[in-house]
């Protein structure tokens, strides 16, 4: 079963997260397939830019708690998006949770519809947004990061645009996306690659500097008793033991 659907039109490759049964959660298989699809786009001279989108009502629910990817593999996926010599544009018309925000923030531009919602739910599971901080913290307003990292509150597309997580909050996603794709089609491949290299240089340096420590921190949290209780409670649809 293929978890990533692909299509191409006028220089734009569309990669669609197509695992709606588990809300496009980040499983080992989905992470691997998406990395392979991005590698194919990088080597295809007919591809000017990539659109990352989804089927179903959820863009990405975060890690698949029944089959979570190795943190190193997920970090590799985020780094591949950031380092891809072609722009990656996220098209979001649904919910984004936890690790899904790290995937979203790795993209160069994000356009979100009014039905979208966002939440960093890790603290409620006994975890923390560890490895996804590599892409989130350079992008999101620090005051907002303080709030949403700690509380796990849900916020909408307008708020996501206000804090810098998405570039466009649109009532009509296709209308919001159209000028972005038109601009990318008008740019030269060399111009796009060189321009992206400028804006991602600092982020890539942070991967090189902090990724190893954050991977270890993430693994330790996932192995903890509190996280085990948090994830079990989530799967059993109950409050974890620490809720007061």
């Amino acid at each position: 079963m293929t978890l990533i659907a692909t299509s191409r039109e006028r220089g734009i490759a569309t990669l669609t997260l197509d695992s709606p049964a588990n809300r496009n959660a980040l499983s080992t298989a989905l992470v691997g397939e998406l990395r392979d699809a991005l590698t194919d786009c990088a080597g295809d001279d007919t591809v000017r830019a990539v659109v990352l989108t989804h089927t179903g009502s959820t863009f990405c629910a975060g890690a698949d708690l029944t089959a979570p990817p190795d943190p190193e593999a997920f970090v590799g996926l985020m780094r591949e998006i950031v380092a891809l010599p072609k722009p990656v544009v996220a098209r979001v018309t649904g919910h984004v949770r936890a690790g899904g925000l790290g995937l979203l923030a790795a993209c160069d531009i994000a356009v979100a519809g009014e039905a979208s919602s966002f939440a960093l739910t890790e603290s409620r599971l006994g975890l923390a947004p560890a490895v996804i901080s590599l892409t989130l913290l350079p992008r999101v307003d620090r005051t907002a990061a303080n709030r949403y990292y700690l509380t796990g509150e849900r916020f909408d597309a307008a708020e996501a645009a206000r804090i810098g997580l998405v570039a466009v909050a649109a009532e009509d996603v296709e209308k919001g996306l159209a000028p972005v794709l038109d601009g990318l089609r008008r740019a030269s491949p060399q111009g796009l690659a060189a321009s992206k290299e400028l804006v991602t240089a600092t982020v890539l340096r942070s991967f090189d500097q902090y990724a190893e420590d954050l991977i270890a921190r993430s693994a330790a949290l996932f192995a903890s008793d509190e996280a085990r209780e948090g994830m079990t409670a989530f799967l059993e649809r109950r409050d974890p033991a620490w809720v007061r």
Side-chain angles (χ1 to χ4, degrees):
M1 178 180 175
T2 301
L3 302 178
I4 306 296
T6 63
S7 63
R8 285 165 169 70
E9 181 182 3
R10 295 180 56 212
I12 305 297
T14 298
L15 306 182
T16 303
L17 305 180
D18 191 19
S19 183
N22 70 348
R23 301 188 301 152
N24 296 314
L26 295 162
S27 63
T28 299
L30 186 143
V31 168
E33 284 190 30
L34 183 52
R35 289 191 73 175
D36 289 344
L38 289 165
T39 299
D40 289 344
C41 291
D44 187 342
D45 291 339
T46 68
V47 173
R48 183 67 53 83
V50 176
V51 170
L52 181 63
T53 189
H54 61 101
T55 57
S57 62
T58 301
F59 174 78
C60 180
D64 184 343
L65 299 183
T66 63
D70 180 82
E72 190 168 351
F74 180 46
V75 168
L77 170 60
M78 292 191 296
R79 194 184 197 287
E80 185 158 355
I81 293 171
V82 175
L84 200 78
K86 301 174 183 186
V88 180
V89 180
R91 175 190 175 277
V92 181
T93 59
H95 310 302
V96 192
R97 297 290 184 268
L101 274 77
L103 182 65
L104 176 66
C107 299
D108 301 289
I109 301 168
V111 179
E114 61 182 1
S116 304
S117 72
F118 308 82
L120 289 159
T121 54
E122 287 90 343
S123 66
R124 299 187 179 192
L125 298 175
L127 302 168
V131 297
I132 64 174
S133 290
L134 291 164
T135 57
L136 275 171
L137 290 182
R139 181 177 297 277
V140 173
D141 171 81
R142 184 54 60 94
T143 300
N146 289 346
R147 176 177 178 176
Y148 296 121
Y149 265 50
L150 297 174
T151 68
E153 293 171 88
R154 185 170 63 181
F155 54 96
D156 62 14
E159 175 70 351
R162 186 192 71 80
I163 67 177
L165 178 62
V166 305
V168 180
E171 182 176 348
D172 184 320
V173 171
E174 302 311 322
K175 286 184 179 179
L177 196 60
V180 174
L181 298 186
D182 180 64
L184 296 177
R185 286 185 171 114
R186 291 175 181 277
S188 81
Q190 175 178 280
L192 287 175
S195 297
K196 177 168 177 173
E197 187 176 7
L198 289 172
V199 297
T200 59
T202 301
V203 179
L204 289 173
R205 283 197 295 271
S206 75
F207 271 83
D208 296 337
Q209 187 172 357
Y210 301 117
E212 186 175 343
D213 174 67
L214 290 171
I215 288 170
R217 190 178 309 185
S218 178
L221 286 167
F222 265 95
S224 69
D225 290 339
E226 276 197 19
R228 195 171 299 111
E229 163 62 10
M231 290 185 283
T232 300
F234 176 80
L235 294 171
E236 293 178 351
R237 298 180 180 276
R238 61 172 174 83
D239 284 339
W242 58 74
V243 172
R244 296 290 183 266

